[in-house]
């Protein structure tokens, strides 16, 4: 799997999903692709240096979504309003609104639809065919 950047939450999600090789795009020309192929051939998982560093980091980067924000983004993707989010998570509507605003800011988007698309693109949301 190729990522634009090694955000800890996204790397962790990819590892938990069972991805065999995880690379950050800017490391491709630095030998990471060859190392990944060699690891896969040997039956091993490969995480490029940026991904390993992201997993080892104990502090969250300020623009990463928290677990709660990812949970709320999933509800936004399901089409829930702030009131519906509040009801499902047993939080105040204003709290749901604040979480949605933080998600928009962190993903650098202007609306809920763009947030969902960014969430998919950046690995926070995963679609399943059900």
């Amino acid at each position: 799997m190729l990522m634009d950047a090694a955000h800890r939450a996204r790397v962790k999600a990819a590892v938990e999903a069972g991805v065999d090789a995880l690379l950050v795009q800017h490391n491709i020309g630095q030998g990471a692709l060859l190392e990944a192929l060699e690891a896969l051939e040997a039956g091993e998982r490969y995480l490029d240096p940026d991904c390993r560093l992201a997993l080892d980091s104990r502090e969250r980067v300020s623009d990463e979504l928290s677990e709660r924000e990812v949970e709320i983004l999933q509800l936004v993707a399901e089409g829930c309003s702030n009131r519906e989010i509040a009801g499902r998570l047993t939080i105040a509507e204003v709290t749901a609104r604040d979480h949605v605003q933080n998600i928009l800011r962190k993903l650098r988007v202007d609306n809920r639809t763009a947030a969902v698309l960014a969430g998919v693109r950046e690995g926070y949301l995963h679609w399943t065919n059900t």
Side-chain angles (χ1 to χ4, degrees):
M1 178 175 176
L2 186 62
M3 304 179 88
D4 290 334
H7 294 288
R8 184 169 55 95
R10 291 177 230 147
V11 172
K12 183 179 175 187
V15 169
E16 289 173 357
V19 170
D20 292 324
L22 192 55
L23 300 101
V24 177
Q25 188 158 351
H26 71 261
N27 289 334
I28 293 290
Q30 314 229 338
L33 181 58
L34 181 59
E35 290 176 12
L37 292 172
E38 290 171 348
L40 291 173
E41 187 174 297
E44 301 169 358
R45 173 179 278 173
Y46 178 81
L47 299 177
D48 85 359
D50 288 4
C51 294
R52 287 192 302 270
L53 182 63
L55 283 179
D56 291 341
S57 173
R58 297 292 176 231
E59 294 180 30
R60 183 182 4 210
V61 179
S62 63
D63 68 341
E64 276 190 40
L65 299 185
S66 68
E67 288 182 33
R68 183 62 148 193
E69 288 167 337
V70 172
E71 181 179 20
I72 289 171
L73 182 59
Q74 180 62 51
L75 294 173
V76 169
E78 292 174 17
C80 293
S81 67
N82 291 345
R83 176 173 283 166
E84 292 168 325
I85 292 168
R88 287 180 63 178
L89 299 179
T90 319
I91 59 176
E93 187 174 346
V94 69
T95 302
R97 183 205 63 203
D98 290 346
H99 279 302
V100 171
Q101 289 301 314
N102 286 335
I103 291 166
L104 297 177
R105 181 185 50 77
K106 288 180 178 184
L107 295 176
R108 295 177 200 89
V109 296
D110 296 327
N111 60 64
R112 296 162 82 95
T113 302
V116 171
L117 292 172
V120 171
R121 183 179 60 248
E122 295 189 26
Y124 289 116
L125 298 175
H126 304 283
W127 297 115
T128 58
N129 294 331
T130 54

